[in-house]
Amino acid sequence: MPPVPTDTAAPQPPAAPRSDAAATAAAAPPAGSAGRGEAEGTEPPPAGEERAVTAPLVGPPGPPKAAAPERETWTRQMDFIMSCVGFAVGLGNVWRFPYLCYKNGGGVFLIPYLLIVFVGGIPVFFLEVALGQFMKQGGIAAWNIAPLFKGLGLASMVIVFFCNSYYIMILVWGLFYLVHSLTDTLPWATCGHSWNTEQCAELFHLELCRNGSANASAGTFNFSCTDLADKRSPVIEFWENKVLRLSGDLSEPGEMNWQMILCLVTTWVVVYFCIWKGVKSTGKIVYFTALFPYVVLIMLLVHGVTLPGALGGIVYYLKPDWSKLAEAQVWIDAGTQIFFSYAIGLGALTALGSYNRFHNNCYRDAYILAVINSSTSFFAGFVVFSVLGFMASEQGVDISKVAESGPGLAFIAYPKAVTLMPLSPLWATLFFFMLLVLGLDSQFVGVEGFITGILDLFPQPGAGSLRRELTAALCCVVCCLIDLSMVTQGGMYVFQLFDYYSASGITLLWQAFWECVVIAWVYGADRFMDDVARMIGYRPLPFMKWCWAVVTPLVCVGIFVFHVVNYKPLTYNKTYVYPWWGDAIGWVLALSSMLCIPCTVLYKLLRCKGSLRERWQLLTTPIWGHHHLEYLTPEAEAKLLAPEPPKEKATLFETVI
């Protein structure tokens, strides 16, 4: 493990300034460094017990106690970059962005998208990574920077736990398709299988119906266009009857699919062995999982542009429709997509940043990762629409009839397009292997972020690696048990409940709003900018401070209100409407994370003693770690080494909810 860098590793800025919110706390030992059992030479009390703000910085006489263990760091900084790429660049870049781009005016969509990237995506992304790097803590403990709002960390852990639970089902379906691609003839290309119905039809001849023929014939096939309306594609029947075995209602869970259970267990075992040894092993695996999808995307693009009709698909993807800029939905889609694809509000970016060296240039990294993320989304659009253009050309329909997003693209549209290609099993294998790898790193980095938050919440310095391995195993087992509800015949309805509510745009926007407000207005935007300067050696552009303080919260509020006002009950496949109790379960999932923030604030304020102003001052005073004392400027350190004796004791409750 590399040694922690010393003060000489970067130019030192002036003594840390106090923001207005913290100015009244200046009379007490600064920033909590002398209190709450966090100073050198004092034992931190267990969570849930009272702690008095009386511990001096200079330890008591006697033999010195063992120093706090050094936090694990990335072997090299590129490990951090690759982990962030692997986590943030996921399935949403491939199956959601291209569809939104075509739906919202083609190339015109890039205008609101890039604008919100700079005023919303990058500022919050940078805030989360810098917070983790500065505090050297995971998603929960990092909010010791403003302990009153530690509920932000709890909320992010709830969201990422739900994400870990349902997101893996996409990998399970991908693995199922991958296994069935290893054949001479793709099983979803033909009818006549045990899962097919009498309505299954391989040839639709829709181009004849589109040309106005009420009746048509092709070779030995005689049919009417009215008859074709009731026919079903073998691709859809494979998805619904073989993979999902879909029941008719959320209240009909039906039987479990043993093949899906096998794929589920296999996927969780792979995830566990990717993260069980910590960031040292994770940092190596992400080099493959983050880079391999780009190799496959390039191969698919090279093959896709050679197909007939591909150019028409790409033109359809980029064709500008300037009138779309006047529609509010276009701007809302851009903002929601950014918060999804940048993995904001999940706490995992904070956890990844906590393993950085203290003087790592996280400001530069934030811009690099933003360029990689958005460029991948744009590039994936060419891959997807070149294939969809070919598919529309082969079927003789408009491309709007075959354009899909989400699971519809991955498991219906693209598999159908592959059946029309020569060497279809090869391209199907490549596509689903890429899908599996693309989602795998997002999954195990999300699990890594959750485990980091849990371990930092209950620190045991001498526990060793066995404690981490057991925690990771327990997390994987619990999530796997929850996933059993999604491998039943009603599992798709459960999956959509989690996807629509637990990690929806509403929850992520709520989280991002409070993160910006707490850092900018409670801790102090200028103060945090100075903390960043202490790490990277210079202050970021003032633009970043104004985004945290004003612009980004306004963007979050605007999109949040739009989501609430335009809320519609959840439906599946535009036909099945969820019952009222299903939507109620969904709102419980959403509110379970959103209410963590106000409930924790109220709990801490009510349990603390003193006047409201005294409680606020005490509970918004940061709890510094041991590493912060090493990086204090000489001026500030001189003040801390000879503190005045406190006139009275103030009690603080750090109860873990």
Side-chain angles (χ1 to χ4, degrees):
M1 184 181 304
V4 178
T6 62
D7 278 322
T8 57
Q12 290 299 326
R18 298 180 177 88
S19 64
D20 294 338
T24 56
S33 58
R36 308 188 198 181
E38 297 293 335
E40 291 183 59
T42 62
E43 286 283 343
E49 294 186 9
E50 298 183 8
R51 297 190 281 187
V53 189
T54 57
L57 259 178
V58 181
K65 296 184 179 181
E70 203 173 288
R71 187 175 182 83
E72 191 176 15
T73 58
W74 302 104
T75 303
R76 58 183 64 85
Q77 197 53 38
M78 188 55 69
D79 296 357
F80 166 71
I81 298 290
M82 288 293 106
S83 295
C84 286
V85 169
F87 181 62
V89 177
L91 297 171
N93 299 74
V94 174
W95 73 15
R96 195 164 185 268
F97 176 86
Y99 175 78
L100 290 178
C101 195
Y102 128 78
K103 170 191 166 188
N104 292 309
V108 171
F109 181 68
L110 294 177
I111 296 175
Y113 178 83
L114 292 176
L115 185 62
I116 299 179
V117 161
F118 281 101
V119 301
I122 294 177
V124 183
F125 188 97
F126 171 53
L127 185 151
E128 292 192 0
V129 172
L131 177 65
Q133 181 172 316
F134 182 66
M135 296 300 292
K136 290 288 183 184
Q137 296 289 340
I140 298 179
W143 289 102
N144 281 334
I145 199 168
L148 179 61
F149 294 91
K150 212 167 181 178
L152 274 166
L154 295 174
S156 67
M157 289 296 101
V158 172
I159 296 173
V160 80
F161 175 76
F162 286 146
C163 280
N164 294 339
S165 298
Y166 84 85
Y167 186 86
I168 200 169
M169 286 306 302
I170 302 169
L171 310 186
V172 173
W173 297 329
L175 179 60
F176 189 83
Y177 270 85
L178 176 63
V179 172
H180 283 79
S181 299
L182 304 175
T183 58
D184 293 334
T185 304
L186 296 175
W188 57 82
T190 59
C191 298
H193 302 281
S194 59
W195 58 83
N196 291 126
T197 64
E198 294 180 357
Q199 285 73 38
C200 181
E202 299 173 25
L203 299 175
F204 276 25
H205 300 284
L206 294 179
E207 70 279 5
L208 300 178
C209 295
R210 191 182 61 160
N211 292 334
S213 302
N215 294 282
S217 63
T220 59
F221 296 94
N222 294 315
F223 58 88
S224 70
C225 294
T226 305
D227 294 335
L228 285 181
D230 299 325
K231 296 298 182 181
R232 286 166 58 85
S233 164
V235 179
I236 295 178
E237 292 207 337
F238 180 83
W239 168 241
E240 293 187 350
N241 300 343
K242 175 65 174 175
V243 180
L244 300 180
R245 299 186 180 182
L246 199 62
S247 66
D249 193 86
L250 178 62
S251 61
E252 301 173 9
E255 300 176 351
M256 289 190 181
N257 186 339
W258 69 267
Q259 293 176 315
M260 283 297 166
I261 294 176
L262 188 60
C263 290
L264 175 66
V265 173
T266 301
T267 309
W268 270 117
V269 169
V270 172
V271 169
Y272 174 74
F273 283 106
C274 286
I275 53 98
W276 71 316
K277 289 297 185 182
V279 296
K280 298 296 185 185
S281 61
T282 305
K284 305 298 181 295
I285 297 169
V286 290
Y287 278 90
F288 172 74
T289 58
L291 296 177
F292 178 77
Y294 288 97
V295 176
V296 178
L297 282 174
I298 292 172
M299 293 174 63
L300 292 174
L301 178 63
V302 171
H303 176 67
V305 295
T306 63
L307 298 172
L311 182 60
I314 293 174
V315 170
Y316 203 85
Y317 168 52
L318 295 177
K319 184 179 179 181
D321 181 359
W322 296 98
S323 65
K324 290 285 187 179
L325 287 178
E327 298 180 13
Q329 185 63 50
V330 174
W331 296 82
I332 301 305
D333 283 346
T336 305
Q337 170 64 13
I338 288 162
F339 281 91
F340 270 117
S341 65
Y342 277 58
I344 288 168
L346 303 179
L349 295 175
T350 304
L352 295 177
S354 71
Y355 296 114
N356 280 337
R357 293 175 295 104
F358 188 79
H359 290 300
N360 172 61
N361 193 338
C362 53
Y363 182 60
R364 174 200 59 202
D365 292 346
Y367 281 98
I368 292 174
L369 290 166
V371 170
I372 293 174
N373 194 321
S374 297
S375 300
T376 302
S377 298
F378 187 62
F379 175 72
F382 290 93
V383 179
V384 170
F385 272 86
S386 64
V387 174
L388 292 181
F390 160 72
M391 182 177 170
S393 174
E394 288 292 301
Q395 293 182 329
V397 298
D398 190 80
I399 194 170
S400 61
K401 302 295 183 183
V402 298
E404 293 275 357
S405 70
L409 172 67
F411 302 113
I412 296 177
Y414 207 97
K416 189 171 184 177
V418 166
T419 62
L420 304 174
M421 300 179 186
L423 300 174
S424 55
L426 171 64
W427 297 110
T429 301
L430 274 176
F431 175 76
F432 287 112
F433 188 60
M434 177 203 71
L435 198 73
L436 194 62
V437 173
L438 198 61
L440 183 63
D441 49 9
S442 297
Q443 178 70 26
F444 70 67
V445 174
V447 176
E448 172 69 43
F450 180 77
I451 293 171
T452 299
I454 297 299
L455 294 178
D456 286 344
L457 187 60
F458 304 103
Q460 293 182 13
S465 62
L466 179 62
R467 174 171 172 261
R468 178 193 172 80
E469 294 168 13
L470 293 176
T471 304
L474 180 62
C475 173
C476 293
V477 168
V478 170
C479 290
C480 187
L481 292 176
I482 294 175
D483 291 333
L484 291 178
S485 65
M486 302 182 200
V487 295
T488 62
Q489 290 175 296
M492 187 59 177
Y493 303 121
V494 179
F495 172 84
Q496 274 212 320
L497 268 182
F498 274 80
D499 185 45
Y500 192 74
Y501 287 102
S502 66
S504 65
I506 290 179
T507 56
L508 297 181
L509 290 164
W510 175 264
Q511 183 78 4
F513 170 80
W514 283 109
E515 286 180 1
C516 292
V517 167
V518 170
I519 291 298
W521 296 101
V522 178
Y523 181 74
D526 285 317
R527 191 179 180 189
F528 192 67
M529 291 280 278
D530 283 307
D531 293 336
V532 172
R534 187 176 267 84
M535 293 189 294
I536 67 176
Y538 60 92
R539 286 174 64 91
L541 293 173
F543 161 79
M544 198 66 67
K545 175 183 68 175
W546 288 109
C547 283
W548 295 333
V550 180
V551 181
T552 305
L554 289 178
V555 170
C556 292
V557 168
I559 302 176
F560 180 88
V561 170
F562 186 91
H563 272 292
V564 173
V565 170
N566 292 276
Y567 167 76
K568 296 178 182 177
L570 180 59
T571 60
Y572 172 72
N573 206 21
K574 300 180 181 179
T575 54
Y576 171 73
V577 180
Y578 278 66
W580 68 268
W581 56 269
D583 283 312
I585 293 173
W587 278 109
V588 168
L589 294 174
L591 294 175
S592 62
S593 63
M594 296 173 69
L595 291 179
C596 284
I597 302 169
C599 288
T600 306
V601 170
L602 289 175
Y603 178 81
K604 285 178 174 286
L605 285 174
L606 292 175
R607 292 298 302 271
C608 191
K609 306 210 181 277
S611 66
L612 183 60
R613 183 175 181 179
E614 290 171 343
R615 298 181 195 189
W616 175 267
Q617 289 179 358
L618 188 63
L619 292 173
T620 55
T621 301
I623 304 174
W624 296 134
H626 289 80
H627 69 284
H628 289 110
L629 300 180
E630 183 174 352
Y631 297 109
L632 286 171
T633 60
E635 296 84 354
E637 190 172 11
K639 295 179 182 178
L640 290 176
L641 288 176
E644 295 181 1
K647 297 180 180 179
E648 59 182 3
K649 294 184 178 181
T651 307
L652 172 68
F653 293 86
E654 279 297 319
T655 305
V656 178
I657 299 179

